[in-house]
Amino acid sequence: MTPSPSLLEATVRSGSPFALIARDTDTVELLTGDVVDVQLLADIPLMDASGTPREVLALVPFRQVVERGFDCHDDQAPLRCLVVGAHHVLPRDEVIAALPTAPVSLEGAGFDIPDEEYADIVRTVIADEIGRGEGANFVIRRDFEASIDVDPLTAGLTWFRALLEHERGAYWTFLVSTPGHLAVGASPEAHVSAHDGVVTMNPISGTFRHPAGGATAETLTEFLSSTKETEELFMVVDEELKMMSAVCSDGGRITGPHLKEMSRLTHTEYMLRGQSTMDPRDILRETMFAPTVTGSPMQNACTVITRHEKAPRGYYSGVAALFTPTAAGTHDLDAPILIRTAYLVDGRLRVPVGATLVRHSDPDGEVGETHGKAAGVLGAIGAIARDEVAERAALDEDAPAAAPRVLADDPDIAALLAARNDRLAPFWLNPQGGESQGSFAGRTALVVDAEDRFTTMLAHQLRHLGFAVEVTPWSAVTDAAVAEADIVVAGPGPGDPRDEASPRIARMRQVVTGRLTAGKPLLAVCLSHQILADALGIGLAPLASPHQGLQKQVDVFGSEASIGFYNTFTARVAPGTAALGETEIAADAACGDVYALRGPGYASIQGHLESILSRDGLDTLDRLVTHALA
């Protein structure tokens, strides 16, 4: 028997903690229980004192990245757990009827950072961070703030009703009320879920703001044809595949792209799926947090965010993680990203929004994107006027309800979306049929991580070729381990390869030159390729324009290869130079930028063979490893 909506009213009157979650079009889940704040993800109380699994809804703040050793403005926001005592399913229409409708007015509304100042921050990040090789993209946020003059719970319930009535396409529509803190929102993006051993991630990127009157196939076509929007999506897919490769035995497969159509915004998205036996709390830790709201590479993105954001993030870009017991005594995980969310604390409204900054970014355009995202939230909750056409239709009770047009069904739009996969590596699109036992079976590979988890994808490809692979951070790798492996893969990372003050660059130089001097097999990738080139006497220089997320067709020792590049610096020789001593050089015929090197016992590549942009990545990796081991 379905519980009565009076249960919701009684819960609200009690003042007890509770959560409302809408995950389908017909029902709303009501969760009640006790609140427990914990320090670490491992402390989330999934078992009671007797060892019986229990359901927990956890609000995971951005500061939790300290568990991975990453930087942040640490505001000590609690990892807040609602230990669920009761879980009810209510009819959606009856919940809507029970919720308040009186408008909630905003006072003193505006962004905490003025438009001009935010545009200056965008310019600085593009020039000094992306332009200096610190990463491919970064998300810098600002907050829309206002005061309200009603009880926060009344405001939150009013806005939750508005979201149920007017927003579409959300993954979760939710309200979480705990002591001193209320969050209400409609998140479009499932960060990570785990169900029956299948892990799913849902990278969403690219934001199309609907024009007045709504989106059309014509206006959407222009958005889907944008190089910036396409590359932005590819870069976040690469970053989330790094996470998938860390938690899934099969590295993760890509499906899509799809459109995420919401009331005021449309996004493009992919789905990534893989198999994992990890504890869901460990899965959550290894995937903190989505590159769509942080940047890539993830570790350096956190450092850049700390440099350029003026205040802590709180729960923005964290997750709401619902851990649900299974019949097997384990837990499933469902964790949307905490975006498109309004927070109410002490009568103050805060709506954090961010723009993804890439090499093509226009500062004024990114300012506009933050306005669009804030307006999307505020319009959806009814805090500002909604689209006039939609509002008139909503007020006309006699008008027949028209289902919104699904633009993804348009043949031209579907063809534009499908064409994106023509650029991507089949390795990540197609099933692999289990682990390969190729010609390298029985060999060991040590992958040295220089703070770019592209190494997890590299490791997965190497395992596919038959290697037994270990990935070790640069700060933990020992000389003995470097000496013992059949092949050492010196990995990519952010920064200037000429930086003599960087302990990370210095250690990667030791790894590369140590294997080179010993004459033991070595493959060097991206940053490490540049370090190898420098050790061989080849000059290094910054590129005129960063190659972050750029796909190029290059000649790699007589074979044309489509390779993805994420570099700001390059090794460079005089055009036409094909060798330096025993080292063969594959370089751009016009400018001399070095794409690959090989010599006795070593090989290197400037591009990322593991990237989804490297259509010929696996074959090229096989060739270079074969040469190094010959």
Side-chain angles (χ1 to χ4, degrees):
M1 180 176 176
T2 302
S4 164
S6 62
L7 179 62
L8 171 59
E9 295 165 355
T11 300
V12 171
R13 286 195 300 269
S14 74
S16 301
F18 71 97
L20 295 168
I21 305 172
R23 293 189 280 181
D24 60 42
T25 58
D26 298 321
T27 64
V28 176
E29 298 163 75
L30 170 62
L31 283 60
T32 60
D34 298 322
V35 168
V36 177
D37 292 344
V38 299
Q39 287 295 314
L40 302 173
L41 290 170
D43 299 331
I44 294 174
L46 299 186
M47 303 289 182
D48 65 15
S50 67
T52 302
R54 55 189 180 184
E55 188 171 35
V56 178
L57 173 65
L59 291 182
V60 183
F62 179 71
R63 70 159 300 275
Q64 220 61 37
V65 295
V66 299
E67 286 199 45
R68 295 183 62 187
F70 297 173
D71 294 334
C72 71
H73 291 299
D74 193 348
D75 55 358
Q76 293 297 311
L79 201 178
R80 177 149 292 181
C81 301
L82 177 65
V83 180
V84 179
H87 187 152
H88 304 284
V89 178
L90 310 176
R92 186 184 185 112
D93 290 343
E94 293 182 19
V95 169
I96 290 173
L99 293 172
T101 60
V104 177
S105 61
L106 305 183
E107 302 293 337
F111 280 103
D112 61 336
I113 300 173
D115 287 356
E116 297 79 6
E117 185 178 346
Y118 186 79
D120 286 341
I121 293 172
V122 172
R123 293 185 187 93
T124 300
V125 170
I126 294 170
D128 294 350
E129 305 294 359
I130 298 174
R132 217 173 49 212
E134 297 301 319
N137 55 84
F138 302 108
V139 179
I140 304 299
R141 90 174 203 291
R142 60 178 180 158
D143 297 344
F144 185 91
E145 298 178 328
S147 295
I148 61 170
D149 57 4
V150 300
D151 171 65
L153 184 53
T154 300
L157 291 168
T158 302
W159 293 341
F160 182 69
R161 173 177 179 149
L163 290 170
L164 291 179
E165 290 184 306
H166 298 285
E167 187 55 279
R168 66 184 177 101
Y171 180 68
W172 271 30
T173 301
F174 61 91
L175 179 148
V176 182
S177 176
T178 60
H181 188 272
L182 186 142
V184 58
S187 176
E189 189 165 354
H191 175 51
V192 63
S193 65
H195 182 71
D196 290 340
V198 176
V199 175
T200 303
M201 297 187 75
N202 175 210
I204 295 176
S205 192
T207 300
F208 173 59
R209 296 164 60 189
H210 297 175
T216 64
E218 292 73 22
T219 55
L220 188 58
T221 295
E222 182 179 354
F223 162 72
L224 292 176
S225 302
S226 164
T227 298
K228 173 193 177 291
E229 300 292 354
T230 301
E231 291 185 354
E232 186 178 305
L233 178 61
F234 288 162
M235 283 189 277
V236 297
V237 172
D238 257 340
E239 192 68 19
E240 293 205 4
L241 270 175
K242 298 175 188 178
M243 298 175 179
M244 290 291 287
S245 293
V247 301
C248 296
S249 58
D250 57 351
R253 306 265 66 76
I254 302 171
T255 59
H258 311 288
L259 287 183
K260 172 69 73 172
E261 299 181 57
M262 303 189 73
S263 299
R264 293 154 189 82
L265 303 169
T266 292
H267 306 282
T268 45
E269 65 178 357
Y270 277 92
M271 301 299 293
L272 315 180
R273 289 187 176 89
Q275 299 285 332
S276 180
T277 58
M278 291 176 65
D279 183 297
R281 292 168 295 190
D282 295 332
I283 291 172
L284 196 55
R285 183 184 304 103
E286 289 299 313
T287 59
M288 291 192 302
F289 282 113
T292 51
V293 284
T294 53
S296 63
M298 177 64 195
Q299 182 168 351
N300 221 42
C302 290
T303 301
V304 170
I305 288 168
T306 305
R307 275 201 287 264
H308 296 280
E309 290 188 355
K310 299 180 180 300
R313 287 191 163 198
Y315 292 94
Y316 170 72
S317 71
V319 298
L322 182 62
F323 298 88
T324 303
T326 69
T330 59
H331 284 80
D332 286 338
L333 169 67
D334 189 10
I337 304 175
L338 287 170
I339 54 174
R340 312 294 162 80
T341 300
Y343 299 94
L344 281 168
V345 179
D346 298 329
R348 189 79 176 158
L349 167 70
R350 185 173 71 95
V351 179
V353 292
T356 300
L357 312 184
V358 297
R359 58 191 176 93
H360 294 302
S361 286
D362 169 63
D364 293 332
E366 303 300 354
V367 168
E369 181 164 329
T370 61
H371 277 275
K373 288 179 176 177
V377 177
L378 296 167
I381 65 178
I384 62 173
R386 299 185 182 92
D387 177 80
E388 292 183 7
V389 174
E391 193 69 13
R392 281 199 300 271
L395 293 173
D396 184 0
E397 296 180 357
D398 297 325
R405 182 186 178 194
V406 180
L407 291 174
D409 293 340
D410 184 286
D412 293 335
I413 296 298
L416 266 177
L417 284 169
R420 290 187 170 189
N421 287 351
D422 294 342
R423 297 179 56 186
L424 303 186
F427 180 82
W428 299 108
L429 291 167
N430 301 326
Q432 296 173 10
E435 290 296 321
S436 170
Q437 294 297 318
S439 57
F440 302 110
R443 303 278 190 111
T444 62
L446 172 66
V447 180
V448 184
D449 190 324
E451 295 185 7
D452 188 336
R453 295 186 81 195
F454 262 131
T455 49
T456 63
M457 294 169 69
L458 260 174
H460 183 64
Q461 287 186 321
L462 290 165
R463 292 186 186 104
H464 186 76
L465 294 175
F467 285 97
V469 185
E470 180 179 349
V471 180
T472 305
W474 67 271
S475 56
V477 70
T478 65
D479 291 340
V482 171
E484 290 168 5
D486 290 336
I487 187 168
V488 167
V489 180
D496 186 338
R498 306 165 300 179
D499 185 358
E500 296 182 358
S502 166
R504 177 172 52 86
I505 301 294
R507 182 55 178 148
M508 294 306 295
R509 188 174 292 118
Q510 291 171 353
V511 169
V512 168
T513 58
R515 291 289 289 196
L516 190 65
T517 301
K520 293 187 174 183
L522 168 72
L523 175 66
V525 179
C526 197
L527 174 71
S528 294
H529 157 85
Q530 296 161 8
I531 289 171
L532 174 64
D534 182 61
L536 295 170
I538 299 171
L540 304 177
L543 293 163
S545 177
H547 290 171
Q548 296 291 350
L550 181 66
Q551 187 179 56
K552 299 181 70 173
Q553 194 79 14
V554 300
D555 184 293
V556 181
F557 305 117
S559 294
E560 286 291 313
S562 177
I563 304 295
F565 287 78
Y566 284 85
N567 62 304
T568 300
F569 294 86
T570 184
R572 185 171 289 158
V573 295
T577 303
L580 181 65
E582 293 183 302
T583 303
E584 296 178 75
I585 300 172
D588 188 283
C591 65
D593 288 355
V594 178
Y595 297 133
L597 300 168
R598 68 182 183 186
Y602 60 88
S604 69
I605 188 78
Q606 176 60 77
H608 285 260
L609 304 179
E610 68 283 5
S611 167
I612 61 168
L613 293 172
S614 293
R615 285 189 53 80
D616 302 303
L618 187 64
D619 289 344
T620 306
L621 177 64
D622 195 345
R623 291 173 53 221
L624 294 178
V625 167
T626 298
H627 173 87
L629 285 165

